[in-house]
Each structure stands twice: as structure tokens, then as C-alpha cells.
């Protein structure tokens, strides 16, 4: 009889959420397509261990697969932060994000390999986020001065550059902190997840479009190298095809649900505000500067910046491409 | 050992200072220090894990001591020996697996995963696991040798 | 998918190991090692390192250190004694008054923190010695600390409720509002029980003898002792409600406040500061290692298919809608005993909440029942975190079997509360319906 492979997969998505359902579908699809020869059991965030331990857990073979944002691994290598959020980035649509990810794949794969993991590819991709939810109206770039903002990663440098105070809080602490006014604003993923977290109950304003751009809930599929090599070719192909399918599902679900949930936010009485075009431009510039300075300092950061600049050029963002050194 | 415990115990005071200071700076000056989150975690984590040995020396690790009452003094000592052996086993395993884990972290110069601007190195914080467990093991070994002597003496 | 009964075996072995008197923290670690090793090979044992590391990085646990330290300072500077003395002077004629005071203080602590370890240990250090001093029955003294100290998980702010809301899509504001009513309702039941028992049984919670009762003047004089602690409560609670501090930071404000009161009342000595630090270290390490053990146990439990087991059994039960309700209750109660609350919510909520909604129950109401059941899991013998935390905070002459016995009547009250909630759902969801 054929060998049956039993794998476990971990993710940063909470069990029960829409994001998590895409992962469940992925596992079911692999199971069916392989006729039960590869069984993957998914585990939501925190069920097996804290999300930030997933990296070592895969490396050590406790679990085989992970679908997580790179933001959790920034301590392992500063370069991971470059793929988590991109302050000031003009790349916003699904196809643009995919275009950039494909171009950056060799660099990312090498980065993961350096730390003992195999990157299979982008598992899903979300719309521009994180959104900023605020208790006070934000009408100009000046309004950020003196605000207490919950953020993470490069957002810290970004908002500090705008004169705000960056606050570190874990996900479950944000609700109470917003409710009581301990913080004035918070950044957290997308419309839907922000609503599931109940933030619409405790804020008055939502800033859209997001300015500290990234994809904090985009996931990358990584696997333990030894386990991957031990898998027969046909099963490997099934995993890769199921990943493509998940990506397709995410494109449908997240982008349509984004619009849907944005309407629900408005219905709940929250006012969606946006910055004047000039101020938005100004903030983008501040963000790009923060991003460039950060990535340049990271090992192998220059190689990635070249790719990033080229992609910006190819997508028609000439000014931004030049800022990152294209054509020099 | 005494000196380590003293340091551990008094960490509570700077911990309280850091926590209050950071809340004050945020509320009054809208300028929260970026180091307070991780610094307070460090102080707590060191206390919680390295304090295990002191807690064990003072017999403060809680157990369900129901069976004890029905045993002879010698039976009680035997049970305590079993208990220390289990603790030693846990310690040995934990040290065995956490040393390479902390070593890997040192090799890549691992930094904090909490994504703050402070972004301190944390490889040293990971060594708290094997070191704290080693202290606990030493304490457990001391207890064990006392119990074995008592068992023979009676 | 085939279900595995390994998770059940884990519980069986755990009970055996615990009965041998091996410390709870290391029993949990030991079982995790054995099961992880035998199921997944030696590599699987790394879960233990992960669990210890997860504990060291758990910011919410910092509240434990700070609250315990605050409680010890208050105890040693005899500030607490003043509250209880004053209450005894005022309500000395009412049997059970001090136990009621303990429940009230527990509810206040609960409004400040959501960490059960902090509530139970804090209250154990503050209230227990006072009740024993005045000749209160040991069981009711221990029981009121257990029950009162655990309320913090139900009374907002509560991060466990936020996690529950995020997973199930139930309104967090609704849970918070329901948490207030459910928490106060439980506290009310506890008080009614204490007062009734003491009324029926003279020696249970003795009143002050007639001739020793304080005159009105003496009562007013003793009230001076309440001023300082009241300032402290306003300081800590106020720092949260005004948005100045997060709940964890408020615990730091509590430490600063307690030290200040000590200085103001000229009772604080350097020795007290030092001794409290030493005792805090013991308790912090005790809690830290238990949490690490519970995390490791939870990891192995989930990894061996614990959630599948829950799912299979929950959906295969007969008896229709209320049969499923009762089965779900038993599950939350049983799993809640061994698993750390957040891990417990992540494991059971995504399975049970959709199931209960499908059965036609109000999801908000079920969320609150879920939280009530966790309360019960905390204090029910033989395995409950509140029981162990209290044991760690009490003098050696109090046995775990005393604590077990003490928990029984309060558990009964919690069962009663859940039944009342089933028949009168308005108790739970009334306030949130009003607010939203
Ligand atoms: Na609370
Ligand atoms: Na229990």
C-alpha cells in the first residue's frame, strides 16, 4: 500500500475566522486530491503554541507546514520585515501584489533557506492594510502629532517620524485600550477582521486608504525541508496546486468581503475618513524614506531593493522607482 | 545561589517602576518609551523561570498532597524521592532540548519578535531557559540526596 | 477522520501522577514529555521549550507579579487589617460580614485585572488571614477567596472575552456588558449563601458578642482606616477607567500606591519591602512554571487530536438541543480544568459556538455561559487553577483537601447560576440588549 503522510499545519489566523476557512479548504483539497495519502490537519493561532514559535517548530519538525505573515520572524532576520509591511508603497491591488511577490520569490526563498525553511510561495494576499482606527478624526498629517497609536513593525518608525507615540499592545489588549482611550488609534489588519475584533464598537473613525501599507495578514506557505524532500513528486505537485487554489480563493473572498465589510463598518456608524491628496502624498514620502533606510541596512537588502525598484518601474510608478534607485 | 535569588527577588521593584513610568510618559507626555514593553517582559521572564529553584527550595511548588497523610514516614520519604526523580527527569530533558535552541538563537543573533522600535537582542533571554532549569535541577538534586540519606538513616 | 482517544489517556495519567504528590507544574511537563516523545519522537519534546518561552513572553502575567507584591505590602503594613477591622466594627453584628467583604473586594480586584492568578492569590493574601483571625469557618473563608478571586475573568476588562469575541464574531461590548451582570449575579449568589449559612449556623461566621459591639463613635473612628485603602482603589480603578493605564499597568500603579500608603501611615519598613519581594518571587515562579506546564499539556492535547475528540463527541450526542447544551457544558467544564483559559477558548470556542448557534441558541448568551463554565472549571476539584494558586498563597497548615472541601458549595452556586441562566437568559444578555 502507499505510504500515508500525516502532516500538521499552523497559521497566524484564528480558528473560526474567514481566513482560517481558506486554510481548511486547502487541507481538504490536498486530502481529496491525494486520495488520502497526504492528510494535513490545520491548527489556528495559539492552539498548539504561540504564533511566533511556528518558525522553530517547523525547523525542528514538530509541525510540517505553516501559513504565516513574515512579520512574526523579524527577530530571526531583519529582512523578514521588508516583506511584512511597506510604508508608503503605491502597490495596492491584488495583481500588483502578486507581481511583486513573484519577482521577489528568489530572494525570499533564499532568505528562508538561510534559516532552515523551504518557501513554497504566497499562500494568499490581502488588500492594502493595516487599517487605522481612531477615536479622533484624522484630517491632516498634523493630526498625528502627539497621538498614541498602537502599531507594530516598521509602523513604529513611520508614526514616530510623523510625531506620534508608538505603543505596543497585543491583539486582545487593543479593544479595552481603545474603549478607555488609553490609545487614540490602532492599526490592525482588514475591515473584516477588525470588525470580528469588535473595534467598530469603540472607535469613531477609520482611515482609508491605509497609509502604512503592507499585508499583515498575507501568508506565505513554508515547509520543513526534510519532510518536503521525502514527499513523492505527485504529492508535492498536489500541495503546490492546492496553494494556487487557495490564492485564488483568497483573491475572491478577501477582495469582495473587503467591500462588503467596509459597508458594514459605515452602517455601524463609524465614519470613514481619508487624508487630503497632498497630505497623503507627503505621508507616502515619509513612509518610503523609512522603508528605504530600513531595508538598505538589512543583509542582502540592496539586492531586494533593486528588484522592488524594477517592479515599481514595470508597474508604472516611475517616481517611486527612481526614489529606490531604478535606472541609476 | 543566594546572590542570584536576591537579584531575582528585587527585580519586582524596577519592574513596577518601568511599568508606571511608561504609562505616565504615554498619558502625560504622549511619548511612550519604546523599550518598556520588552524590558518589563525580560524582568518578568527571568523571575518566573529562574525563580523556580528558589521556589523549590522553599517547597512552594504546589502539589496535591492527599496521599501523604495515609503513609508511614518512610513511605512519605520514598514518595518524595519519586517526586524529585520526576523533577530531575523534566529538568534534564528541558536542558537537553533548550541548549541547542538557545545556541541557534545566539548563532543568528536573534532579536525580539515583538516588533518594537527598540528591537533588542533576545538570544541571551533564551539562555534563561536552560540556566533557570539548571538551577532548578541543582536544587532538586540537593533535595534528593537529603531524602536518600534520610531514607537510609531510618 | 479517525478520532484518537490519546487525549483521554493523557488525563488519566495526569490524575495518577498528581495523586503521587508530584508538584502540578512538573506533573504537567512530565506528561507532556512522555506523550509528545512516544507519539512524535524526541523532536516533539521541543514543545516544552516553546511552552516555557511562551510563558516568559506573556505580558499579561506581569500583572501577577505586581498584584501579589501590592497585596503583600498591604498585608504587612496592616492596611488591609484596617479595612477588615472597620468592616467588623460596622457589621460585627451581622454574621458573615467579612466573607461578604471578601467577595466585594474580589469583584473590585476583578474590575482591575483579568488574570485569575492575580485575583485569587491577591485575595488569599489579603482576606484569608483576616477571616481566620475573627474565627470564621475555614471552609467559607477559603471558599469566598476562591470564588471571589476568580470573578476577574468574568468581570471586564477581560482579555479572554476579547479573544472569544474575535473567534466567534460575538460582540465584545455585548460580552463585557453580560460579564458585568453575570459577575455581579454570581457575587450576589455568593453573598446570599454566606449570609444565609451564617444566619442558620451561629458558629459558622461568628458575630461580635453583644457587649463588644462598637459604639457609634468607635465606628466612626475605625472608619479612618478605610480612607487610605479607598484612595488606593480610586487610584487603581481610576487609572484604568480614565484611560491613563492598561490593566497591566494599573497593577503597577497599585504597587506604587501601596508603597505610598505604607509611607503615609508610617508603617512601611525596608524589611517589609524586602520580605514582600522574596515572597513575590516564590509565587511568581510557582505561577510561571504551572502556566508553562499547562501550555505544554495543552499543546500536546491539541496536537494529538483533542479538538477532533471534542467535536466528535459533542455532535454525536442524543437528546436534541438541550442534550447538546448539557454535553457542551460538560466539555467546557472538563477541558477548562486543565487548559490555560486562552488556549481553552481557542480550542473549544470555534467548535462549540457555531454548533450552539445552529441549534438555535443565542450566540452571545452561549458565550456568557461559556465564561461562567470556565469560572467553575477554575475552582472545581481535583484539578483547578484557582485551587492551586490559593494553595500557593496560604500557610502550610492549610491542606489541599481543605481547599477542595471549601470549593464544593461555591461550585454548587455556580451550577445554580448556569441553570438560572438557561431558564432566564435575560440575566446574561439583558444589559447588553439594553446597551446595544
Ligand atoms: Na476582569
Ligand atoms: Na476544576
Amino acid at each position: 500500500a502507499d505510504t500515508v503522510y500525516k502532516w500538521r499545519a499552523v497559521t497566524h489566523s484564528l480558528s473560526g475566522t474567514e481566513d482560517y476557512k481558506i486554510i481548511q479548504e486547502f487541507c481538504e483539497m490536498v486530502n481529496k486530491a491525494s486520495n488520502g495519502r497526504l492528510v494535513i490537519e490545520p491548527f489556528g493561532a495559539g492552539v498548539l503554541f504561540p504564533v511566533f514559535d511556528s518558525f522553530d517548530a517547523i525547523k525542528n519538525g514538530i509541525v510540517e507546514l505553516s501559513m504565516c505573515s513574515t512579520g512574526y520572524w523579524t527577530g530571526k532576520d531583519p529582512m523578514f520585515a521588508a516583506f511584512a509591511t511597506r510604508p508608503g508603497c503605491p502597490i495596492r491591488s491584488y495583481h500588483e501584489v502578486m507581481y511583486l511577490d513573484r519577482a521577489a520569490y528568489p530572494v525570499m526563498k533564499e532568505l528562508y533557506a538561510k534559516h532552515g525553511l523551504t518557501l513554497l510561495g504566497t499562500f494568499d494576499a490581502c488588500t492594502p492594510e493595516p487599517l487605522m482606527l481612531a477615536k479622533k478624526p484624522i484630517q491632516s498629517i498634523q493630526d498625528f502629532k502627539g497621538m498614541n497609536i498602537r502599531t507594530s513593525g516598521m509602523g513604529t518608525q513611520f508614526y514616530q517620524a510623523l510625531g506620534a507615540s508608538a505603543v505596543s499592545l497585543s491583539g486582545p489588549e487593543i479593544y479595552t485600550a481603545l474603549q478607555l482611550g488609553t490609545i487614540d488609534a490602532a492599526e490592525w489588519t482588514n475591515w473584516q477582521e477588525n470588525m470580528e475584533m469588535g473595534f467598530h464598537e469603540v472607535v469613531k473613525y477609520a482611515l482609508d486608504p491605509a497609509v502604512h501599507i503592507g499585508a499583515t495578514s498575507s501568508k506565505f506557505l513554508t515547509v520543513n525541508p526534510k519532510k518536503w524532500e521525502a514527499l513523492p513528486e505527485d504529492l508535492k505537485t498536489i500541495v503546490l496546486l492546492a496553494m494556487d487554489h487557495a490564492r485564488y480563493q483568497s483573491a475572491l473572498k478577501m477582495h469582495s468581503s473587503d467591500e462588503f465589510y467596509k459597508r458594514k463598518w459605515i452602517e455601524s456608524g463609524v465614519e470613514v475618513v481619508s487624508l487630503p491628496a497632498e497630505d497623503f502624498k507627503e505621508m507616502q514620502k515619509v513612509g518610503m524614506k523609512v522603508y528605504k533606510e530600513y531595508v538598505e541596512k538589512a543583509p542582502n537588502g540592496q539586492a531586494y531593493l533593486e528588484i522592488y525598484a524594477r517592479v515599481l518601474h514595470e508597474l508604472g510608478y516611475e517616481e517611486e522607482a527612481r526614489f529606490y534607485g531604478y535606472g541609476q | 545561589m543566594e546572590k542570584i535569588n536576591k537579584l531575582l527577588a528585587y527585580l519586582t521593584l524596577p519592574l513596577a517602576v518601568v511599568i508606571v513610568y511608561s504609562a505616565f510618559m504615554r498619558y502625560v507626555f504622549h511619548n511612550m518609551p519604546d523599550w518598556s514593553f520588552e524590558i518589563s517582559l525580560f524582568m518578568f521572564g527571568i523571575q518566573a523561570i529562574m525563580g523556580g529553584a528558589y521556589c523549590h527550595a522553599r517547597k512552594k511548588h504546589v502539589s496535591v498532597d492527599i496521599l501523604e497523610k495515609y503513609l508511614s514516614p518512610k513511605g512519605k520519604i520514598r514518595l518524595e524521592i519519586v517526586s524529585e526523580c520526576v523533577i530531575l527527569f523534566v529538568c534534564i530533558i528541558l536542558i537537553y532540548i533548550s541548549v541547542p535552541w538557545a545556541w541557534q538563537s545566539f548563532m543568528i543573533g536573534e532579536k525580539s519578535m515583538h516588533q518594537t522600535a527598540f528591537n533588542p537582542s533576545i538570544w541571551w533571554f533564551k539562555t534563561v531557559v536552560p540556566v533557570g532549569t539548571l538551577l532548578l535541577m541543582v536544587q532538586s538534586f540537593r533535595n534528593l540526596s537529603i531524602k536518600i540519606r534520610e531514607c537510609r538513616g531510618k | 477522520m479517525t478520532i484518537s482517544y490519546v487525549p483521554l489517556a493523557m488525563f488519566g495519567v495526569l490524575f495518577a501522577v498528581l495523586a503521587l504528590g508530584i508538584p502540578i507544574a512538573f506533573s504537567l511537563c512530565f506528561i507532556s514529555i512522555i506523550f509528545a516523545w512516544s507519539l512524535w519522537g524526541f523532536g516533539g519534546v521541543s514543545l516544552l521549550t516553546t511552552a516555557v518561552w511562551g510563558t516568559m513572553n506573556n505580558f499579561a502575567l506581569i500583572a501577577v507579579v505586581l498584584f501579589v507584591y501590592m497585596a503583600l505590602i498591604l498585608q504587612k503594613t496592616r492596611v488591609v487589617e484596617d479595612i477588615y477591622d472597620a468592616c467588623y466594627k460596622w457589621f460585627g453584628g451581622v454574621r458573615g460580614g467579612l466573607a461578604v467583604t471578601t467577595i466585594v473586594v474580589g469583584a473590585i480586584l476583578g474590575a482591575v485585572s483579568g488574570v485569575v492568578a492575580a485575583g485569587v492569590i491577591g485575595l488569599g493574601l489579603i482576606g484569608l488571614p483576616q477571616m481566620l483571625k475573627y474565627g470564621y469557618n475555614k471552609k467559607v473563608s477559603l471558599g469566598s477567596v476562591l470564588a471571589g478571586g476568580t470573578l476577574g475573568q468574568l468581570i471586564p476588562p477581560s482579555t479572554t472575552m476579547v479573544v472569544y469575541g474575535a473567534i466567534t464574531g460575538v460582540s465584545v461590548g455585548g460580552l463585557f456588558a453580560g460579564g458585568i451582570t453575570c459577575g455581579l449575579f454570581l457575587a450576589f449568589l455568593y453573598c446570599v449563601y454566606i449570609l444565609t449559612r451564617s444566619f442558620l449556623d451561629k458558629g459558622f461566621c461568628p458575630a461580635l458578642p453583644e457587649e463588644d459591639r462598637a459604639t457609634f463613635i468607635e465606628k466612626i473612628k475605625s472608619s479612618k482606616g478605610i480612607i487610605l485603602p479607598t484612595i488606593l482603589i480610586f487610584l487603581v480603578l481610576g487609572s484604568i477607567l480614565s484611560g491613563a493605564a492598561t490593566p497591566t499597568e494599573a497593577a503597577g500603579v497599585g504597587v506604587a500606591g501601596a508603597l505610598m500608603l505604607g509611607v503615609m501611615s508610617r508603617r512601611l519598613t525596608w524589611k517589609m519591602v524586602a520580605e514582600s519581594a522574596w515572597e513575590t518571587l516564590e509565587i511568581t515562579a510557582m505561577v510561571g512554571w504551572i502556566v508553562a506546564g499547562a501550555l505544554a499539556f495543552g499543546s500536546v492535547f491539541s496536537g494529538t487530536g483533542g479538538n477532533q475528540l471534542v467535536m466528535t463527541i459533542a455532535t454525536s450526542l442524543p437528546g436534541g438541543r438541550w442534550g447538546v447544551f448539557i454535553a457542551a457544558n460538560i466539555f467546557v467544564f472538563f477541558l477548562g480544568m486543565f487548559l490555560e483559559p486562552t488556549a481553552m477558548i481557542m480550542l473549544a470556542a470555534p467548535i462549540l459556538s457555531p454548533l450552539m448557534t445552529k441549534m438555535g441558541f443565542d450566540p452571545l448568551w452561549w458565550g456568557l455561559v461559556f465564561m461562567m463554565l470556565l469560572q467553575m472549571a477554575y475552582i472545581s476539584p481535583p484539578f483547578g487553577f484557582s485551587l492551586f494558586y490559593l494553595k500557593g498563597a496560604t500557610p502550610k497548615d492549610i491542606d489541599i483537601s481543605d481547599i477542595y472541601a471549601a470549593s464544593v458549595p461555591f461550585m454548587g452556586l455556580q451550577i445554580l447560576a448556569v441553570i438560572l441562566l438557561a431558564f432566564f437568559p435575560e440575566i446574561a444578555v439583558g444589559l447588553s440588549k439594553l446597551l446595544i
Side-chain angles (χ1 to χ4, degrees):
Chain A
D2 284 330
T3 321
V4 173
Y5 296 88
K6 284 199 168 180
W7 280 15
R8 280 186 295 264
V10 286
T11 168
H12 73 245
S13 287
L14 288 170
S15 332
T17 55
E18 286 300 316
D19 271 27
Y20 186 71
K21 283 180 192 145
I22 295 177
I23 290 162
Q24 283 175 313
E25 274 174 36
F26 164 83
C27 295
E28 276 163 33
M29 176 153 267
V30 170
N31 189 357
K32 274 188 198 157
S34 69
N35 200 16
R37 285 162 56 223
L38 178 56
V39 183
I40 304 176
E41 195 186 349
F43 292 93
V47 174
L48 280 184
F49 35 71
V51 177
F52 55 70
D53 279 325
S54 305
F55 200 95
D56 286 339
I58 295 195
K59 198 166 157 182
N60 299 329
I62 305 177
V63 293
E64 286 80 9
L65 277 175
S66 91
M67 298 92 163
C68 291
S69 156
T70 59
Y72 293 95
W73 327 133
T74 55
K76 302 277 177 198
D77 195 308
M79 229 6 234
F80 279 116
F83 305 114
T85 60
R86 295 182 300 271
C89 182
I91 288 179
R92 287 171 176 264
S93 71
Y94 178 78
H95 73 272
E96 285 176 331
V97 172
M98 284 303 155
Y99 193 83
L100 172 63
D101 275 3
R102 194 164 66 181
Y105 180 70
V107 181
M108 283 182 87
K109 193 177 157 85
E110 195 186 313
L111 175 65
Y112 272 103
K114 187 172 132 194
H115 293 279
L117 260 63
T118 299
L119 174 70
L120 298 184
T122 310
F123 185 79
D124 63 10
C126 41
T127 44
E129 52 175 64
L131 287 172
M132 175 170 283
L133 312 159
K135 302 198 62 130
K136 305 186 206 165
I138 300 172
Q139 280 151 344
S140 79
I141 194 166
Q142 297 302 323
D143 290 342
F144 288 97
K145 286 218 169 81
M147 269 178 107
N148 289 320
I149 302 175
R150 186 273 170 198
T151 182
S152 69
M154 248 179 266
T156 315
Q157 286 98 320
F158 178 48
Y159 289 112
Q160 277 174 351
L162 293 168
S165 168
V167 179
S168 301
L169 289 174
S170 69
E173 287 178 304
I174 300 175
Y175 184 93
T176 308
L178 279 172
Q179 187 179 39
L180 300 171
T182 317
I183 50 175
D184 305 306
E187 276 196 335
W188 188 264
T189 64
N190 51 38
W191 291 109
Q192 184 182 351
E193 213 175 298
N194 278 312
M195 188 160 242
E196 283 168 341
M197 295 284 282
F199 295 150
H200 59 293
E201 295 166 0
V202 286
V203 298
K204 284 209 178 84
Y205 305 94
L207 189 61
D208 179 55
V211 276
H212 166 209
I213 293 297
T216 39
S217 57
S218 278
K219 303 175 196 74
F220 293 90
L221 187 65
T222 51
V223 61
N224 176 292
K226 274 189 198 151
K227 300 280 174 79
W228 180 248
E229 284 318 314
L231 217 57
E233 282 306 314
D234 62 331
L235 291 184
K236 279 186 187 169
T237 311
I238 287 173
V239 171
L240 293 174
L241 285 173
M243 176 181 77
D244 271 348
H245 181 75
R247 206 151 53 193
Y248 163 75
Q249 286 292 338
S250 78
L252 287 179
K253 265 195 187 173
M254 292 186 186
H255 292 254
S256 56
S257 82
D258 233 31
E259 283 307 311
F260 177 75
Y261 276 91
K262 186 176 169 180
R263 285 199 297 277
K264 281 184 85 167
W265 267 79
I266 296 169
E267 279 164 27
S268 77
V270 171
E271 194 183 330
V272 177
V273 292
S274 47
L275 289 168
E278 272 169 37
D279 290 30
F280 189 77
K281 194 90 194 149
E282 187 60 37
M283 280 190 69
Q284 276 193 312
K285 277 191 188 144
V286 173
M288 279 160 60
K289 196 158 162 266
V290 167
Y291 190 67
K292 192 177 175 198
E293 276 171 13
Y294 182 93
V295 181
E296 271 175 348
K297 267 190 280 174
N300 214 17
Q302 205 54 52
Y304 169 70
L305 273 190
E306 273 167 33
I307 296 171
Y308 182 49
R310 198 191 70 223
V311 166
L312 286 171
H313 159 72
E314 282 163 0
L315 292 173
Y317 300 109
E318 291 304 341
E319 200 186 324
E320 289 86 351
R322 272 198 304 280
F323 177 82
Y324 286 108
Y326 182 76
Q328 285 164 19
Chain B
M1 202 83 156
E2 269 304 301
K3 271 189 189 157
I4 296 173
N5 287 336
K6 199 166 184 174
L7 183 82
L8 287 175
Y10 293 140
L11 266 182
T12 302
L13 293 169
L15 174 62
V17 171
V18 168
I19 294 274
V20 174
Y21 172 77
S22 107
F24 182 80
M25 287 304 283
R26 185 189 54 235
Y27 188 62
V28 180
F29 296 107
H30 301 279
N31 183 20
M32 189 168 171
D34 53 17
W35 46 264
S36 59
F37 184 80
E38 272 129 338
I39 291 288
S40 26
L41 269 181
F42 290 158
M43 291 194 271
F44 162 75
I46 291 171
Q47 273 195 319
I49 299 311
M50 306 239 308
Y54 176 69
C55 183
H56 193 42
R58 307 259 307 167
K59 306 225 176 327
K60 277 287 194 173
H61 283 295
V62 177
S63 62
V64 182
D65 40 10
I66 280 184
L67 208 60
E68 262 180 32
K69 281 187 284 186
Y70 306 100
L71 291 173
S72 64
K74 190 151 189 175
K76 210 173 141 184
I77 292 174
R78 283 199 182 129
L79 211 56
E80 278 169 18
I81 290 176
V82 171
S83 181
E84 292 298 343
C85 289
V86 168
I87 296 175
L88 278 176
F89 174 78
V90 169
C91 288
I92 290 166
I93 297 283
L94 188 51
I95 291 171
Y96 187 78
I97 54 177
S98 64
V99 166
W101 169 79
W103 175 251
Q104 274 179 7
S105 178
F106 169 71
M107 288 304 285
I108 60 169
E110 188 167 359
K111 295 202 162 198
S112 172
M113 66 278 191
H114 293 293
Q115 301 193 41
T116 61
F118 179 42
N119 199 27
S121 288
I122 54 152
W123 56 265
W124 65 272
F125 191 40
K126 285 197 164 177
T127 61
V128 165
V129 180
V131 172
T133 314
L134 184 71
L135 292 178
L136 178 64
M137 192 175 89
V138 170
Q139 186 58 49
S140 179
F141 201 74
R142 274 188 197 165
N143 292 7
L144 183 67
S145 59
I146 294 170
K147 291 291 159 199
I148 288 177
R149 245 177 282 144
E150 272 179 30
C151 191
R152 282 200 183 134
K154 271 182 189 167
Chain C
M1 204 171 264
T2 51
I3 53 164
S4 144
Y5 288 96
V6 174
L8 287 184
M10 284 181 72
F11 291 121
V13 181
L14 179 63
F15 278 124
V17 172
L18 279 180
L20 288 176
I22 296 162
I24 288 128
F26 306 112
S27 303
L28 289 163
C29 293
F30 179 67
I31 309 281
S32 311
I33 293 174
I34 299 297
F35 276 83
W37 196 344
S38 56
L39 290 166
W40 308 317
F42 192 71
V45 176
S46 315
L47 277 175
L48 188 58
T49 326
T50 307
V52 175
W53 181 240
T55 309
M56 292 164 70
N57 281 286
N58 188 336
F59 194 78
L61 288 178
I62 292 178
V64 177
V65 185
L66 299 173
F67 265 112
V68 168
Y69 191 73
M70 176 188 76
L72 285 164
I73 291 287
L74 290 179
Q75 184 207 53
K76 288 189 202 296
T77 52
R78 301 194 313 279
V79 170
V80 185
E81 227 173 309
D82 290 348
I83 318 179
Y84 278 80
D85 283 345
C87 286
Y88 205 54
K89 289 230 164 73
W90 277 97
F91 311 112
V94 184
R95 295 203 285 268
L98 293 187
V100 169
T101 308
T102 304
I103 299 286
V104 173
V105 174
I108 294 173
L109 272 181
V112 176
S113 160
V115 185
V116 170
V120 172
I121 297 170
L123 207 54
L125 295 169
I126 294 171
L128 190 66
Q130 300 304 318
M131 287 186 280
L132 296 177
K133 182 177 104 185
Y134 287 109
Y136 271 46
N137 172 294
K138 211 199 245 176
K139 272 194 211 168
V140 82
S141 308
L142 289 166
S144 55
V145 168
L146 269 180
T150 313
L151 284 173
Q153 188 247 342
L154 201 55
I155 296 177
S158 156
T159 48
T160 49
M161 280 184 179
V162 177
V163 174
Y164 187 92
I167 288 183
T168 60
V170 173
S171 152
V172 180
L175 286 170
F176 274 18
I180 295 177
T181 41
C182 289
L184 292 181
F185 180 62
L186 264 184
F188 171 74
L189 286 183
Y190 297 155
C191 293
V192 169
Y193 162 77
I194 291 165
L195 293 173
T196 319
R197 270 294 304 261
S198 342
F199 179 74
L200 296 174
D201 178 353
K202 268 197 170 169
F204 195 62
C205 296
L208 210 55
E210 202 80 46
E211 60 277 13
D212 293 347
R213 299 242 168 107
T215 62
F216 187 72
I217 303 292
E218 280 176 311
K219 281 182 184 173
I220 294 293
K221 270 189 185 162
S222 77
S223 303
K224 244 177 36 192
I226 296 201
I227 298 171
L228 290 183
T230 310
I231 295 174
L232 184 65
I233 288 171
F234 271 102
L235 203 65
V236 176
L237 211 56
S239 71
I240 294 185
L241 296 179
S242 67
T246 63
T248 310
E249 290 166 349
V253 174
V255 170
L259 290 171
M260 249 157 46
L261 292 190
V263 173
M264 275 159 68
S265 60
R266 296 204 202 115
R267 290 176 187 162
L268 190 72
T269 62
W270 175 243
K271 197 170 158 235
M272 288 174 190
V273 173
E275 274 177 4
S276 304
W278 284 100
E279 286 173 47
T280 304
L281 176 63
E282 275 173 26
I283 292 174
T284 304
M286 185 268 288
V287 173
W289 280 90
I290 287 188
V291 171
L295 281 178
F297 187 88
S299 295
V300 182
F301 176 81
S302 306
T304 56
N307 33 7
Q308 236 115 41
L309 187 70
V310 173
M311 176 87 126
T312 315
I313 303 181
T315 47
S316 65
L317 280 151
R321 159 169 207 257
W322 289 101
V324 172
F325 174 72
I326 292 169
N329 275 319
I330 294 171
F331 268 120
V332 177
F333 167 67
F334 184 71
L335 292 182
M337 294 203 270
F338 306 93
L339 303 177
E340 191 265 337
T342 315
M344 165 71 205
I345 289 170
M346 292 190 168
L347 178 81
I351 301 170
L352 293 177
S353 178
L355 183 71
M356 300 306 282
T357 313
K358 213 171 81 190
M359 291 276 162
F361 292 104
D362 174 9
L364 173 62
W365 171 81
W366 166 250
L368 290 161
V369 172
F370 190 101
M371 294 293 158
M372 293 279 267
L373 293 166
L374 282 185
Q375 290 277 303
M376 214 189 289
Y378 271 111
I379 74 159
S380 60
F383 197 104
F385 288 116
S386 292
L387 302 166
F388 302 145
Y389 294 148
L390 180 57
K391 176 80 170 67
T394 50
K396 278 273 174 235
D397 59 317
I398 287 175
D399 227 291
I400 191 87
S401 46
D402 292 327
I403 296 177
Y404 282 175
S407 71
V408 175
F410 288 90
M411 233 182 87
L413 291 170
Q414 290 172 335
I415 296 174
L416 177 70
V418 172
I419 293 172
L420 288 173
L421 231 59
F423 285 104
F424 308 102
E426 290 306 310
I427 300 172
V429 296
L431 183 62
S432 40
K433 290 250 164 77
L434 212 69
L435 290 177
I436 295 168

